[in-house]
């Protein structure tokens, strides 16, 4: 999206201020609770353009209380991981896909453009600075969280004249160990995650804040996540904050792995794309981007045509679905052997941890 | 919504720290750019509950960079005004309606409950402290901006365990002087402001961030605001950040003032409610909450049944619509005499500035 004419910060201008008091690294705790010693901050203003990128000690942000990210949701984020391989090399998994999606979200949020390759190089340098924080384990990783917020210090709703791009790093345990727990999903058509003409295909904060109360209603009904439906025909769209896949024998008797198409309401997940590309390479069954309705799922379950259903995302990678509660029925989804889920998880982790050479990883 | 059992901060516990260096009050500039000397802050945590409310010198917030308001749009705001009357008394206009809506938004955003009357009393005290900032003019006012954000310092998407409620004050010029400029609206069905199952009826940040790019597309087409449509029949919902009213002779030949009903996608505006109540009291024409489609508007324009169309909101109060650009046509909306708009504006400002005694105002 950016070309050489896009005004952008440059990684060559990066300034590094190291902390004088590095933290003691604790055991890997809950996802996203422990942060590393440094962060990347890059300021932008309409008057001055981009300032030089700065790696500085991790610490609080000082924000004007009228700041547009706090009032009008002018904010977006990304998430990907750095993995320490068996060879002790650090790898980022397809980070350029995150950079591109971030540029797209920035355009949607009316935040300024930047050169994606320059940002990625700054992030690579940040991970390098905090490399000791990348766990020595193939069950854990370092989560990279780029964030981009409007810092316009006034209340009129308008394109921000100031903005802040920053990146923080946090240790992450690995969700999918020897055998993942299957989740139960609450499918209630009264909840809508995203809609045509909205921001469901961008990683903007508003998509998440509006989903939270549905998540708690799911929990009240004994489920772990929401299965987000759309339209009068109750199309399956996403599960919690994951893309969703159905492995089944379809209406025509063909074995198929299906996920909803990128029609504006689906987040274009990097794991989603990787699963599509991987399974298409196998050439063993149909791999399609298509609409799936709850009616189709229910019929397939009755006729025992469902093999597996799973969610995908950077945080969990792959998460099998065990149950869907829908219109008073608790639908059991086959997940005992989780053959496909396990195979995809193994192939992806082999790439992420460097056991399978692949150009999907970027060495730090 | 709150009752005596709702754990809440109390205005009786308010602590006031006055600034030692009050600012020079500038001329009234652009809306929301100049802030007063003090702000109200009230912190909450799951562990400790609400802390004592604090009025302190206006200044930046120190926020953890993982703070959930910056990543997941866990944020909401309100807006109302303090007016200085001809009698030099300061009045707030129906502020309890804002408090109630704020409590509703907080529930939707999974932010903690509070006692609305206690918050209003803290805000009254804040306005009292900064009373010299309320303009000596019946063309201007002091804008009150309560804000409520999640300050959870971790990246997992969940109910915040920390939150911050704060209130800032800013001088506001008066939009509607002797004769308001009529705005032109860009009505493109590809934009959707809000949807059923979403947060369009709450004042959450995500509703605004996702609207910004449409606003700039409207400007690219020579219009000032977006006319937000909904559904296949292109229902008229809101205009920019205003509720919208149509004064017309309806299909049955009756004079009617119509505005879309509060069906989940419409913000329940305080000015909207006040206009409905005021015009119903007059008893001079039908006042209804009903759906209006673009087809109905186009037919009525062709048959010269449209008298006026206007937007309403706290910032502008009432704003006549002069043109709607829709599907390649520039529809002219009558607004030359703006009879109804002017009459409503006069009655409302007479209440706000204390010229008409009314229990809609709260003395500071």
């Amino acid at each position: 999206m950016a070309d050489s004419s896009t005004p952008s910060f440059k990684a060559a201008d990066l300034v590094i201020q190291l902390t004088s008091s590095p933290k003691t690294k604790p055991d890997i705790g809950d996802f996203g609770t422990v942060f590393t010693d440094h962060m990347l901050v890059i300021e932008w203003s309409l008057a001055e353009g981009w300032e030089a990128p700065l790696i500085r000690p991790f610490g609080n942000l000082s924000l004007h209380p009228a700041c547009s990210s706090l009032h009008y949701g002018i904010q977006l984020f990304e998430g990907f991981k750095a993995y320490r391989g068996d060879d002790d090399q650090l790898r980022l998994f397809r980070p350029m896909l995150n950079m591109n999606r971030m540029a797209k979200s920035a355009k949607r949020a009316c935040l300024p453009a930047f050169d994606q390759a320059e940002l990625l190089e700054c992030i690579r340098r940040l991970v390098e600075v905090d490399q000791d924080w990348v766990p020595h384990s193939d069950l854990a990783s370092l989560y990279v969280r780029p964030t981009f917020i409007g810092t316009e210090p006034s209340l009129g709703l308008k394109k921000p004249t100031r903005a802040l791009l920053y990146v923080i790093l946090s240790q992450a345990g690995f969700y999918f160990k020897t055998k993942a727990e299957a989740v139960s999903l609450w499918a209630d058509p009264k909840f809508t995650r995203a809609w045509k003409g909205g921001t469901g295909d961008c990683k903007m904060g508003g998509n998440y804040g509006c989903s939270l109360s549905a998540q708690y209603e799911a929990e009240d009904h004994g489920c772990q996540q929401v299965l987000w439906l759309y339209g009068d025909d109750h199309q399956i769209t996403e599960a919690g904050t994951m893309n969703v896949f159905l492995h089944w024998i379809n209406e025509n008797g063909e074995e198929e792995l299906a996920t909803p198409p990128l029609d504006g309401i689906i987040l274009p997940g990097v794991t989603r794309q990787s699963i599509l590309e991987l399974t298409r390479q196998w050439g063993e069954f149909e791999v399609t981007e298509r609409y799936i309705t709850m009616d189709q799922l229910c019929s397939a379950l009755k006729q025992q045509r469902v093999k597996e259903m799973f969610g995908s995302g950077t945080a969990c990678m792959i998460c099998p679905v065990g149950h869907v509660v829908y219109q008073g029925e608790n639908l059991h989804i086959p997940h005992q052997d989780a053959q496909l889920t396990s195979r995809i998880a193994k192939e992806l982790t082999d790439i992420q941890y460097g056991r399978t050479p692949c150009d999907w990883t970027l060495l730090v």
Side-chain angles (χ1 to χ4, degrees), chain A:
Chain A
M1 293 170 89
D3 58 35
S4 57
S5 64
T6 303
S8 181
F9 51 87
K10 305 283 176 215
D13 299 329
L14 185 67
V15 175
I16 300 183
Q17 293 171 359
L18 293 181
T19 180
S20 54
S21 49
K23 295 177 236 180
T24 311
K25 290 165 199 67
D27 288 341
I28 296 162
D30 285 346
F31 169 78
T33 55
V34 174
F35 297 89
T36 65
D37 286 320
H38 298 89
M39 64 194 291
L40 170 71
V41 293
I42 318 176
E43 302 216 50
W44 175 88
S45 71
L46 187 62
E48 306 286 334
W50 285 104
E51 293 189 13
L54 171 66
I55 289 175
R56 68 157 169 91
F58 185 91
N60 275 11
L61 303 171
S62 176
L63 296 176
H64 192 282
C67 160
S68 55
S69 54
L70 295 175
H71 294 255
Y72 305 129
I74 299 176
Q75 57 180 246
L76 60 96
F77 68 94
E78 273 301 327
F80 57 97
K81 287 175 171 173
Y83 305 86
R84 185 181 298 275
D86 301 342
D87 56 0
D88 211 33
Q89 292 256 29
L90 305 186
R91 288 175 180 81
L92 305 177
F93 184 70
R94 311 191 82 178
M96 206 57 197
L97 294 181
N98 296 89
M99 297 297 100
N100 294 343
R101 189 172 62 185
M102 187 168 175
K104 194 180 141 211
S105 300
K107 191 163 185 224
R108 185 68 179 80
C110 293
L111 286 166
F114 56 89
D115 185 308
Q116 290 103 288
E118 297 291 339
L119 177 57
L120 181 54
E121 174 57 13
C122 293
I123 292 175
R124 194 196 64 74
R125 296 284 296 279
L126 176 66
V127 174
E128 200 172 49
V129 165
D130 278 344
Q131 58 182 279
D132 291 346
W133 286 84
V134 184
H136 290 260
S137 158
D138 64 358
L139 297 179
S141 58
L142 189 70
Y143 182 77
V144 180
R145 170 58 64 96
T147 315
F148 196 6
I149 61 174
T151 51
E152 171 67 34
S154 68
L155 294 176
L157 181 61
K158 62 172 186 177
K159 251 182 224 190
T161 64
R162 292 174 177 276
L164 175 69
L165 195 167
Y166 67 96
V167 183
I168 54 181
L169 306 174
S170 175
Q171 287 193 335
F174 192 56
Y175 282 62
F176 196 92
K177 293 177 186 168
T178 49
K179 188 160 187 174
E181 292 288 319
V183 294
S184 55
L185 302 179
W186 175 250
D188 186 333
K190 84 174 179 205
F191 300 125
T192 312
R193 190 195 81 92
W195 72 108
K196 305 281 166 74
T199 60
D201 58 347
C202 291
K203 224 163 162 63
M204 286 175 64
N207 298 344
Y208 297 83
C210 76
S211 76
L212 208 50
S213 68
Q215 163 67 20
Y216 283 93
E217 193 169 312
E219 291 180 21
D220 288 345
H221 289 88
C223 294
Q224 289 153 289
Q225 300 279 343
V226 176
L227 182 62
W228 299 100
L229 306 180
Y230 188 78
D232 293 334
D233 56 351
H234 300 178
Q235 292 161 32
I236 290 170
T237 64
E238 296 196 18
T241 58
M242 303 180 288
N243 291 119
V244 68
F245 284 83
L246 180 65
H247 184 207
W248 68 337
I249 307 298
N250 69 18
E251 306 91 331
N252 304 323
E254 297 153 344
E255 184 179 347
E256 182 183 30
L257 179 65
T259 193
L262 303 179
D263 63 351
I265 64 166
I266 302 292
L267 188 83
V270 175
T271 312
R272 175 188 180 279
Q273 181 176 334
S274 303
I275 292 170
L276 289 174
E277 292 176 18
L278 203 64
T279 53
R280 278 176 180 149
Q281 271 173 23
W282 297 349
E284 297 174 17
F285 43 73
E286 291 291 309
V287 179
T288 55
E289 294 169 77
R290 56 167 277 183
Y291 295 104
I292 309 159
T293 65
M294 280 305 297
D295 263 0
Q296 290 172 316
L297 175 64
C298 291
S299 296
L301 283 168
K302 273 194 200 114
Q303 298 165 10
Q304 300 191 303
R305 289 190 281 109
V306 175
K307 298 166 84 73
E308 281 172 69
M309 187 172 169
F310 57 88
S312 76
T314 292
C316 69
M317 190 158 77
I318 291 192
C319 178
V321 175
H323 292 88
V324 174
V325 181
Y326 174 65
Q327 293 183 332
E329 272 195 273
N330 188 345
L331 306 169
H332 173 79
I333 314 287
H335 63 279
Q336 283 318 95
D337 59 347
Q339 223 178 333
L340 181 62
T341 319
S342 306
R343 181 174 167 195
I344 292 171
K346 183 176 184 313
E347 292 214 9
L348 286 179
T349 48
D350 280 350
I351 293 170
Q352 288 161 347
Y353 290 93
R355 292 183 289 258
T356 303
C358 180
D359 61 6
W360 281 0
T361 58
L362 177 79
L363 287 181
V364 173

